[in-house]
Amino acid sequence: MQHGSSYFSRSYEEARHRFVLAAKPLATQFQSYVIEPAGRHGEALATDVALIGPTDAERLLVMTSATHGVEGFCGSGCQLALLDDAAMLERARRAGVALLLVHAINPYGFSWLARTNEDNVDLNRNDQSFDGRPLPQNPGYAGIHDLLLPAEWPATPANAAQINAYIAEHGREAFAQVVTRGQYTHADGLFYGGTHLTASLLNLRHILQQHGSRSKHIGWIDVHTGLGPRGHGEKIYAGRRDAAAVARARQWWGSDIAVPYEGSSASADITGQLAGLIYQTCPDAQHTPMALEFGTVPFVAMIEALRGRNWLLAHPEADDAKRDAILNATLQAFYCNAADWHGMILGQSRVAVLQALSGLQEA
């Protein structure tokens, strides 16, 4: 295997090239799902999918990256390390577990250094019915939307004072919940869930149906970054409210599995997360999904970066210097280009894969 930092790429284009090069020779099946528009440097954007193992395997481990675009620098590195881990690939083969690696669910955000897709949609808030029934409500968001997206950037001291006053009145936890829970009313806002299923989720639905519908036991590791202490991988149960599934996740990955709906996670208890697609596409399987969230910067710095990125979306006329500063701040909020961080990520990711393989083998 290579040195840890060598698995992490400098751009979406490089990450995609390396994934295709590493995955194709190992894959039983390989497919690419191209989306519009083009990438930041004019490159084609696609979600690339490699199935390694039997097409009719009863046990399947899914590993996904870039649900939140810019977070793909981390997830892609984990996938490239797995592809280079001959011992782990052999262990999966012996356990009768097929591996489904989905690289860059949100290639637009990966390329353009955004957490959201080409329509500012957060894919982990987008799995809703959109059939006329009421969408999840987050009434508190409307009251702070204009504070989060000010007319000027960087935000003025007066804007910062207003946000601090809100936090002082309502509490930091309430502020975090209102901002991150997801909202469906402000298309230019933070954590926006959209008005219809995105192309990326439609692609993922097809991918899961094609490769998972014959499986009886499915594990899923969706790699994220942003929340929590720097380098720590919080293991977040990402499935339905199912006590048996939570118990199974804890048996696989440890008793420190965080459960958002129990209030034990750094993540808000959200709806519309894309892991819900597995229940629609593979209804007869036993599902054990986990989001592996690696910490980067403090929460306040992360939200500040997202505010700047959404401001840039609303101000395409911004000069190059301001644009570059905002994009760089977004990248730094969701990816730490440092050897120690890389090492922590790869070590924890490898353990999570090993634990999932063991759990699936015993299922």
Side-chain angles (χ1 to χ4, degrees), residues 64-89:
T64 45
S65 66
T67 296
H68 288 139
V70 66
E71 299 177 22
F73 286 92
C74 175
S76 175
C78 294
Q79 290 173 320
L80 286 172
L82 177 56
L83 287 167
D84 194 36
D85 192 338
M88 192 67 74
L89 296 177

Side-chain angles (χ1 to χ4, degrees), residues 180-230:
T180 66
R181 184 183 304 149
Q183 52 86 19
Y184 300 83
T185 54
H186 295 73
D188 59 340
L190 275 63
F191 298 89
Y192 174 59
T195 59
H196 58 273
L197 280 181
T198 61
S200 291
L201 254 66
L202 291 173
N203 284 339
L204 183 58
R205 174 190 281 174
H206 177 76
I207 292 163
L208 294 172
Q209 192 161 35
Q210 178 181 356
H211 297 293
S213 60
R214 292 180 296 276
S215 299
K216 294 182 179 179
H217 305 278
I218 301 176
W220 187 347
I221 300 173
D222 189 24
V223 182
H224 290 262
T225 61
L227 296 174
R230 181 181 182 275

Side-chain angles (χ1 to χ4, degrees), residues 5-358:
S5 289
S6 65
Y7 295 111
F8 296 89
S9 303
R10 294 166 294 181
S11 67
Y12 160 76
E13 189 173 18
E14 179 186 345
R16 184 189 182 200
H17 173 75
R18 295 176 67 190
F19 179 82
V20 172
L21 199 65
K24 269 192 171 181
L26 299 172
T28 310
Q29 294 184 352
F30 188 94
Q31 294 161 298
S32 297
Y33 297 79
V34 178
I35 69 160
E36 298 291 343
R40 185 182 174 198
H41 303 291
E43 75 274 21
L45 299 179
T47 297
D48 296 298
V49 183
L51 177 72
I52 302 172
T55 58
D56 59 350
E58 291 189 357
R59 294 168 173 81
L60 180 69
L61 176 59
V62 183
M63 189 179 200
T64 45
S65 66
T67 296
H68 288 139
V70 66
E71 299 177 22
F73 286 92
C74 175
S76 175
C78 294
Q79 290 173 320
L80 286 172
L82 177 56
L83 287 167
D84 194 36
D85 192 338
M88 192 67 74
L89 296 177
E90 175 60 18
R91 189 179 188 98
R93 188 194 67 79
R94 292 199 314 267
V97 178
L99 301 174
L100 181 63
L101 304 185
V102 184
H103 185 266
I105 292 176
N106 174 10
Y108 177 89
F110 197 164
S111 177
W112 286 92
L113 304 182
R115 190 174 176 276
T116 52
N117 80 340
E118 57 273 19
D119 297 315
N120 190 43
V121 174
D122 182 327
L123 299 188
N124 228 21
R125 310 294 188 278
N126 183 239
D127 182 28
Q128 303 288 354
S129 60
F130 297 114
D131 61 358
R133 284 178 289 182
L135 290 165
Q137 298 297 302
N138 184 3
Y141 182 84
I144 60 172
H145 174 76
D146 290 339
L147 294 181
L148 294 173
L149 270 74
E152 301 177 50
W153 195 264
T156 64
N159 174 261
Q162 287 177 292
I163 290 178
N164 288 336
Y166 180 96
I167 293 173
E169 179 180 353
H170 300 277
R172 188 169 298 276
E173 179 62 26
F175 172 74
Q177 288 287 327
V178 167
V179 173
T180 66
R181 184 183 304 149
Q183 52 86 19
Y184 300 83
T185 54
H186 295 73
D188 59 340
L190 275 63
F191 298 89
Y192 174 59
T195 59
H196 58 273
L197 280 181
T198 61
S200 291
L201 254 66
L202 291 173
N203 284 339
L204 183 58
R205 174 190 281 174
H206 177 76
I207 292 163
L208 294 172
Q209 192 161 35
Q210 178 181 356
H211 297 293
S213 60
R214 292 180 296 276
S215 299
K216 294 182 179 179
H217 305 278
I218 301 176
W220 187 347
I221 300 173
D222 189 24
V223 182
H224 290 262
T225 61
L227 296 174
R230 181 181 182 275
H232 171 68
E234 179 173 290
K235 298 170 287 188
I236 306 172
Y237 172 72
R240 287 177 172 171
R241 296 180 180 236
D242 181 339
V246 171
R248 188 168 57 252
R250 287 180 169 144
Q251 185 177 14
W252 288 17
W253 288 301
S255 59
D256 58 338
I257 280 279
V259 183
Y261 67 78
E262 292 179 353
S264 60
S265 173
S267 172
D269 182 17
I270 62 175
T271 65
Q273 56 190 12
L274 57 79
L277 291 173
I278 199 71
Y279 300 96
Q280 305 166 29
T281 56
C282 310
D284 298 324
Q286 184 183 73
H287 312 105
T288 314
M290 176 184 73
L292 188 54
E293 177 99 22
F294 293 107
T296 50
V297 298
F299 178 79
V300 172
M302 184 191 74
I303 294 299
E304 194 73 1
L306 292 179
R307 294 176 66 207
R309 190 64 183 85
N310 276 57
W311 181 92
L312 182 60
L313 181 68
H315 294 83
E317 77 285 356
D319 62 61
D320 290 344
K322 183 169 288 190
R323 174 183 300 273
D324 290 346
I326 290 172
L327 293 178
N328 186 56
T330 306
L331 176 60
Q332 291 186 18
F334 294 97
Y335 172 64
C336 301
N337 188 19
D340 67 325
W341 192 81
H342 293 159
M344 288 187 283
I345 270 55
L346 293 182
Q348 292 171 90
S349 173
R350 191 175 194 274
V351 169
V353 169
L354 177 61
Q355 291 170 321
L357 292 178
S358 297

